[in-house]
Amino acid sequence: MHKPTLKFLSDGKVHSAGEIKAYLIDYFHMGKEDVLLLVPSGRITYLSNRASWARTYLKKAGLIESPSRGKFVITEEGRKALRESPDIIDSDYLMKYDAFKEFKSMTQSEDADTQKTFEDSSETPDDIPESAFKQIKSSLADDLLSEVMNLSPAAFEKMVLDLMSKMGYGTFENASVTTAVTGDEGIDGIIMEDKLGFNLIYIQAKRWSDEHPVGRPEVQAFVGAIAGKGGKGLFVTTSKFTKQAIDYAKNQHIILMDGNRLAEFMIEYNFGVSVKKTFEIKAIDTDVFSDYEDE
């Protein structure tokens, strides 16, 4: 479904997931039974499952973008792929893009046999839970950051404080506050670790895109803002930190949380996410059979 999705988006307009799905139904001449066929879990149709993963893979490769929730548009790299690609765009073709290659390397098992099974299969990660858990989680993290980027800077600051509370920091009444938008001296939030406020965590939050990494100057300004206040510093961004920023923060004992770590914590502490499905992996309980052998 990769190439037909790109073809539909080739007009350069922003289209919804529903519009793409309608095009795919027509493109593949799908009948009603095909459209309504459910995956083994019974929670979603094969069409929605495949179409969703196709969009995810194309986004990871940089061939399409999602300017807002459920909306998609082709990129210049996507147009180039349409001009140069073979009849079918599959995972092997997408491996030519570094971003997709990094995505696959992060999510695939290190076991060679498992990788080969996954690559040779036409099934999607939802059908192969063991080898796909990391991939599903990575896709969720990407979607989470897309949602976060739709927040206003002030709402993002509030969200970070709420997440910290969910993680167990300042879990009592009035433990976290957001500073005023103006005159905050580079401090976006303050969390009291104890009820009397002896231990404070000062927070700086930057809702920036990946194209705008946080550099040393921003971290240095934050260090200056909290100097002499007797607290700890946490710098959070939806983007990344430059190496210079990371090295400087280590020397100044500032904790950094980039977009990847932010999404990981949101998933780990069930913040902004809900459980879609649960798998139980069972094994033989040899003790039970040993008891019978003793009879």
Side-chain angles (χ1 to χ4, degrees):
M1 292 186 173
H2 300 81
K3 192 159 187 175
T5 299
L6 279 180
K7 282 185 175 180
F8 178 66
L9 295 174
S10 63
D11 62 2
K13 298 179 181 179
V14 177
H15 290 283
S16 68
E19 290 176 306
I20 297 174
K21 188 188 299 185
Y23 175 80
L24 292 172
I25 293 173
D26 182 65
Y27 182 89
F28 289 109
H29 307 292
M30 299 178 70
K32 185 176 181 180
E33 290 186 359
D34 300 320
V35 173
L36 298 179
L37 185 63
L38 298 173
V39 299
S41 68
R43 295 176 178 269
I44 189 174
T45 64
Y46 274 102
L47 171 61
S48 295
N49 176 265
R50 268 43 173 192
S52 176
W53 279 105
R55 295 193 301 270
T56 295
Y57 287 175
L58 291 171
K59 280 174 58 181
K60 291 294 184 180
L63 304 188
I64 67 174
E65 294 176 339
S66 179
S68 60
R69 182 190 307 171
K71 302 291 185 179
F72 304 90
V73 64
I74 195 170
T75 64
E76 187 56 41
E77 195 63 40
R79 295 182 185 279
K80 183 178 178 182
L82 274 179
R83 294 193 299 266
E84 301 177 354
S85 67
D87 292 336
I88 297 177
I89 296 179
D90 55 15
S91 293
D92 289 337
Y93 177 83
L94 295 179
M95 288 295 282
K96 67 182 287 187
Y97 300 100
D98 291 338
F100 185 78
K101 190 181 299 182
E102 181 181 358
F103 166 65
K104 296 290 280 187
S105 66
M106 287 172 55
T107 57
Q108 283 186 342
S109 167
E110 294 180 358
D111 180 78
D113 292 334
T114 302
Q115 285 190 28
K116 189 174 188 304
T117 299
F118 183 85
E119 291 168 357
D120 290 349
S121 173
S122 62
E123 296 177 323
T124 65
D126 279 340
D127 305 316
I128 315 172
E130 278 287 348
S131 61
F133 177 76
K134 289 183 179 179
Q135 192 163 5
I136 294 172
K137 184 177 178 181
S138 179
S139 177
L140 172 59
D142 184 64
D143 291 340
L144 270 175
L145 288 179
S146 295
E147 291 291 329
V148 171
M149 289 300 294
N150 288 329
L151 299 177
S152 68
F156 175 58
E157 294 166 9
K158 176 68 165 55
M159 190 211 80
V160 170
L161 290 175
D162 289 341
L163 173 60
M164 294 294 292
S165 177
K166 186 84 171 182
M167 294 171 64
Y169 293 92
T171 54
F172 47 91
E173 188 177 1
N174 298 324
S176 60
V177 296
T178 304
T179 60
V181 175
T182 58
D184 63 359
E185 299 180 335
I187 300 172
D188 294 323
I190 304 173
I191 289 181
M192 292 182 287
E193 287 191 275
D194 62 275
K195 292 186 177 181
L196 295 178
F198 287 117
N199 296 314
L200 301 178
I201 300 176
Y202 295 98
I203 298 175
Q204 174 68 280
K206 295 291 187 185
R207 186 188 56 81
W208 288 357
S209 65
D210 284 341
E211 292 76 23
H212 191 181
V214 176
R216 171 170 170 156
E218 288 81 18
V219 178
Q220 193 166 355
F222 178 52
V223 171
I226 66 175
K229 295 184 181 294
K232 305 168 185 176
L234 171 65
F235 201 123
V236 183
T237 182
T238 50
S239 181
K240 300 177 181 178
F241 293 96
T242 64
K243 184 179 184 304
Q244 292 80 2
I246 294 172
D247 293 340
Y248 179 78
K250 286 181 180 178
N251 293 331
Q252 300 296 324
H253 307 292
I254 299 295
I255 301 300
L256 303 181
M257 184 188 298
D258 63 11
N260 289 333
R261 290 191 69 190
L262 174 64
E264 287 176 3
F265 282 128
M266 292 177 71
I267 294 171
E268 180 181 351
Y269 289 90
N270 292 319
F271 187 89
V273 301
S274 59
V275 177
K276 178 181 178 182
K277 62 180 74 172
T278 302
F279 295 94
E280 288 186 342
I281 308 299
K282 300 183 179 181
I284 294 292
D285 186 346
T286 56
D287 292 338
V288 171
F289 293 96
S290 296
D291 291 341
Y292 284 108
E293 291 174 359
D294 294 336
E295 292 294 331

